[in-house]
Amino acid sequence: VPTCERYAVRRLPFARLEDGDVAFFERLMPGRVVTGEEEVKAFNVDWLKSVRGCSQLVLKPQTTAEVSQVLRYCHEKNLAVNPQGGNTGLVGGSVPVFDEIILSTALMNKIISFDKVSGILVCQAGCVLERLNEYLEEQGFVMPLDLGAKGSCHIGGNVATNAGGLRLLRYGSLRGTVLGLEVVLADGSALDCLTSLRKDNTGYDLKQLFIGSEGTLGVITAVSILCPQKPKAVNVAFLGCQSFAKVLETFTTCRAMLGEILSAYEFMDEKCMELVERHLKLSRPVTGSPFYVLIETSGSNSTHDEEKLSNFLEQAMASGLVTDGTVATDDKKIKELWSLRERITEALTHEGYVYKYDISLPVGKLYDLVTDMRARLGHSAKSVVGYGHLGDGNLHLNITAESYSHSLLDAIEPFVYEWTAGCSGSISAEHGLGFKKKQFIQYSKPQQAVVLMQQFKAMLDPKGILNPYKTLPSAPKRSLC
């Protein structure tokens, strides 16, 4: 079902694509304009297959200059544009709602420079995260972020959504590691803030406006990012806990005993593991617990790290925090353990329709929402599961059903947002607001802040052509299709 029908959205008064427009783009970038219905189809549908646009045109620029010419033309003609990276987003932000032109960064995949002394990488926005990591590993470095979607997602999309992921506990968010951006604004003008400096205190830090703006303020075309050295020693422990209270206590013990080498602390409930085992045929080394945790250490001295991890595990087992577990030190087994966590999202898609919630909460209350939601929905949901980045207070609550149901959605929303707001949490920890969550921003931001955001949007994109219907609540007045 097209998004505009399922969600009863009205089209804003943008121009409609004409043959003359297509001819202009074909002259600008011959061979990189996609118009066939079948070829465009994949760009119109999100990874979850939960939202579907009706775009008739995909453009694949290779340079910032081409992006600039595209946006200048679209601005003049009042044509709406949907910037798209790897299309791995989970809130409907990366696909059109109506017939917006899709501006794909897929061919903007060049590494511009890498400085081995400073660890600063400069690259185009369409570079795939996993490719960047492979390139850096050859130089003895790694990317400061890691996501389950790393094989498809683009660094520009990661920055545009301020993606968090599995390494945030160790290396912090992109707001700290991104040093500079090159961005093309709605009118086609290019903003070059692609600095490679760790420190630059001259005026407002404009890049922060575009990090997490989901393509609504400008199109990110290049990124400068600080990359840490590749750890010489990596260990992963996969442990079973008998209660969520034990998961929390294990975390505080682990943080105290592992200190600077702790790089990830992930948790998942038994239902998650059951789905990964059933749908993806992955075997789990530890069974029989209601909760599981995955702990990763990264350091420069394997003997030192293994000793610390061993002391922690002895303490955790002796005090009854952990009932069973396994440790991996070789790459193959480490990847196998990580896949149990990283592929939960994939396993959930085999269940039918998935209602996804990405929430920040005080760590002590993280699982209470899952318990309350299970009680509230009863048998109307197929499964209600909870997993996430416990180390930074980020819960992924997922609810599955055979197919989309409006009545089930009404039972979940706005209850889930009210519950989160009641705990002073955030309704989007790392996925962004996109199309699906934009109307609920008030649960996490005061009205004054939302108005200020709308003013920024109006200033940078006065015609509203960049990724319309996303991130910010709709204006009160709407024009019909």
Side-chain angles (χ1 to χ4, degrees), residues 192-263:
D192 183 358
C193 289
L194 201 59
T195 178
S196 292
L197 301 171
R198 292 285 301 273
K199 299 171 88 170
D200 176 12
N201 217 1
T202 51
Y204 304 129
D205 190 1
L206 293 177
K207 70 175 181 288
Q208 298 295 350
L209 257 186
F210 300 98
I211 298 173
S213 66
E214 304 186 71
T216 61
L217 299 180
V219 177
I220 294 169
T221 52
V223 177
S224 167
I225 189 165
L226 180 66
C227 304
Q229 283 201 292
K230 182 184 178 182
K232 290 186 175 69
V234 176
N235 300 290
V236 169
F238 193 87
L239 314 171
C241 296
Q242 290 304 307
S243 68
F244 191 70
K246 294 270 171 76
V247 170
L248 293 172
E249 209 178 325
T250 302
F251 176 57
T252 53
T253 306
C254 159
R255 193 171 48 183
M257 293 186 73
L258 298 179
E260 78 290 348
I261 64 168
L262 177 63
S263 54

Side-chain angles (χ1 to χ4, degrees), residues 172-423:
S173 82
L174 288 171
R175 293 199 179 279
T177 53
V178 171
L179 303 178
L181 294 176
E182 180 184 68
V183 183
V184 179
L185 303 180
D187 64 359
S189 55
L191 178 67
D192 183 358
C193 289
L194 201 59
T195 178
S196 292
L197 301 171
R198 292 285 301 273
K199 299 171 88 170
D200 176 12
N201 217 1
T202 51
Y204 304 129
D205 190 1
L206 293 177
K207 70 175 181 288
Q208 298 295 350
L209 257 186
F210 300 98
I211 298 173
S213 66
E214 304 186 71
T216 61
L217 299 180
V219 177
I220 294 169
T221 52
V223 177
S224 167
I225 189 165
L226 180 66
C227 304
Q229 283 201 292
K230 182 184 178 182
K232 290 186 175 69
V234 176
N235 300 290
V236 169
F238 193 87
L239 314 171
C241 296
Q242 290 304 307
S243 68
F244 191 70
K246 294 270 171 76
V247 170
L248 293 172
E249 209 178 325
T250 302
F251 176 57
T252 53
T253 306
C254 159
R255 193 171 48 183
M257 293 186 73
L258 298 179
E260 78 290 348
I261 64 168
L262 177 63
S263 54
Y265 190 98
E266 301 286 311
F267 93 96
M268 53 234 96
D269 61 20
E270 164 64 20
K271 187 70 180 171
C272 289
M273 290 299 94
E274 186 191 306
L275 295 177
V276 164
E277 198 171 39
R278 188 194 324 154
H279 296 303
L280 306 179
K281 309 296 182 229
L282 298 184
S283 59
R284 43 180 169 152
V286 181
T287 56
S289 296
F291 294 95
Y292 298 92
V293 296
L294 184 151
I295 297 166
E296 182 189 76
T297 66
S298 306
S300 58
N301 185 319
S302 57
T303 311
H304 167 263
D305 293 3
E306 282 169 28
E307 187 184 339
K308 278 186 119 169
L309 184 59
S310 178
N311 289 341
F312 157 70
L313 291 172
E314 277 178 32
Q315 167 74 20
M317 296 290 275
S319 58
L321 293 178
V322 169
T323 48
D324 198 1
T326 185
V327 176
T329 53
D330 65 279
D331 275 357
K332 185 172 180 288
K333 198 178 173 195
I334 285 172
K335 283 192 171 99
E336 284 171 5
L337 291 180
W338 263 117
S339 66
L340 292 169
R341 163 63 185 86
E342 289 184 315
R343 296 183 69 188
I344 294 169
T345 306
E346 183 188 340
L348 283 159
T349 61
H350 291 270
E351 282 281 280
Y353 189 86
V354 189
Y355 301 84
K356 301 188 82 66
Y357 299 93
D358 159 52
I359 285 158
S360 275
L361 287 166
V363 181
K365 296 180 187 292
L366 213 60
Y367 203 75
D368 293 350
L369 177 56
V370 184
T371 309
D372 287 1
M373 192 58 83
R374 274 191 191 132
R376 179 179 174 84
L377 299 180
H379 296 298
S380 61
K382 199 170 173 182
S383 56
V384 178
V385 307
Y387 64 98
H389 318 295
L390 189 127
D392 38 73
N394 183 184
L395 169 72
H396 294 314
L397 167 69
N398 286 250
I399 297 149
T400 66
E402 288 294 346
S403 58
Y404 174 80
S405 156
H406 206 75
S407 60
L408 181 56
L409 183 65
D410 287 343
I412 301 167
E413 299 176 7
F415 172 79
V416 65
Y417 302 127
E418 290 168 351
W419 197 103
T420 303
C423 295

Side-chain angles (χ1 to χ4, degrees), residues 32-107:
R32 290 178 282 123
V33 175
V34 184
T35 53
E37 192 178 332
E38 277 306 304
E39 291 87 344
V40 173
K41 198 174 180 181
F43 295 89
N44 267 316
V45 183
D46 72 328
W47 184 79
L48 290 171
K49 296 183 170 53
S50 63
V51 282
R52 178 158 68 86
C54 303
S55 180
Q56 301 164 328
L57 183 69
V58 179
L59 304 176
K60 294 184 173 182
Q62 289 178 319
T63 65
T64 300
E66 286 179 346
V67 174
S68 191
Q69 286 176 278
V70 167
L71 289 187
R72 188 178 300 119
Y73 182 89
C74 291
H75 187 258
E76 285 170 9
K77 297 282 186 175
N78 198 32
L79 289 163
V81 178
N82 183 110
Q84 187 179 95
N87 196 16
T88 58
L90 300 171
V91 288
S94 58
V95 294
V97 175
F98 289 95
D99 55 347
E100 299 90 276
I101 294 168
I102 296 169
L103 182 65
S104 168
T105 56
L107 299 182

Side-chain angles (χ1 to χ4, degrees), residues 443-464:
Y443 288 102
S444 294
K445 289 287 185 290
Q447 183 59 25
Q448 192 179 7
V450 176
V451 169
L452 193 56
M453 290 180 205
Q454 288 168 329
Q455 288 170 346
F456 278 130
K457 169 73 172 169
M459 179 182 70
L460 291 170
D461 181 15
K463 292 186 175 181

